[in-house]
Amino acid sequence: MNYSDIDIAPFIDHSLLGAIATPQQVEQWCDEADRYRFAAVCVNPVHVRQAVDLLHNKTPKVCTVIGFPTGATTSAVKLYEAQEAAENGATELDVVINLGWLKSGMTSEVHRELAEIRESTGQSIKAILEMALLTDAEKRLAGEICLDAGVAFLKTSTGWSGGATISDVRLLKEMAQDRVGIKASGGIRTIEQALELIMAGATRLGTSRGVDLLRQRDTLEKG
């Protein structure tokens, strides 16, 4: 593969989702996202307003997570969290679906939760499926529910229970049929992984290592 053929920067959601993330790190992440022209920064809800201020009139979008990382908060709490994030300026909301509901056959509840968040906020919803915890049948069911609820992206995982795989990205691409984006997230540490995921169908890459991936690419091209 010719590494110069794909510019990975526009695919990257520059993620800072650790429990001890500081305002200083948010400033660094936003500066890097602007400098390298990443698609977005993805920060915890508490940091959304700061990120929006830092990226005002700049290219990267501000993304945050809802119901993160388990998806097991109540629908009312998720809805409020999403509304507050949107009011603070986030334009992309990565929502963890309720996996217990999915596995219990409570598909209408999963659908309603996502649809309410989308309709109430008017923002792009990336549904996090946490695919490492699902059977193949459940992955397909989850994808169908999310597509029907009007999400803008299907996202593989939070990164807390396993990371993105080529096979899962291919499955999501097959299901999406180019109707929505596909975000691969979790465990993306090498430029080879990043490029393989893009080739498999990912349109976004959620990673905290975006700058390192670009450096790896530059090193390989020079070598």
Side-chain angles (χ1 to χ4, degrees), residues 190-213:
T190 69
I191 186 64
E192 290 87 356
Q193 278 179 294
L195 290 167
E196 287 172 359
L197 289 165
I198 291 170
M199 295 298 290
T203 58
R204 289 283 186 92
L205 303 175
T207 178
S208 61
R209 294 178 168 86
V211 175
D212 183 50
L213 292 175

Side-chain angles (χ1 to χ4, degrees), residues 117-173:
I117 291 173
R118 180 186 60 79
E119 292 165 6
S120 175
T121 64
Q123 303 303 333
S124 294
I125 306 301
K126 302 193 197 93
I128 306 177
L129 309 187
E130 204 69 296
M131 296 179 79
L133 302 181
L134 303 179
T135 65
D136 287 346
E138 288 168 344
K139 292 173 185 179
R140 290 186 176 277
L141 176 61
E144 290 167 3
I145 294 168
C146 295
L147 289 169
D148 193 53
V151 304
F153 286 81
L154 298 174
K155 179 176 172 180
T156 60
S157 48
T158 62
W160 288 62
S161 301
T165 67
I166 300 298
S167 59
D168 280 342
V169 169
R170 285 176 177 156
L171 175 61
L172 294 182
K173 179 177 174 62

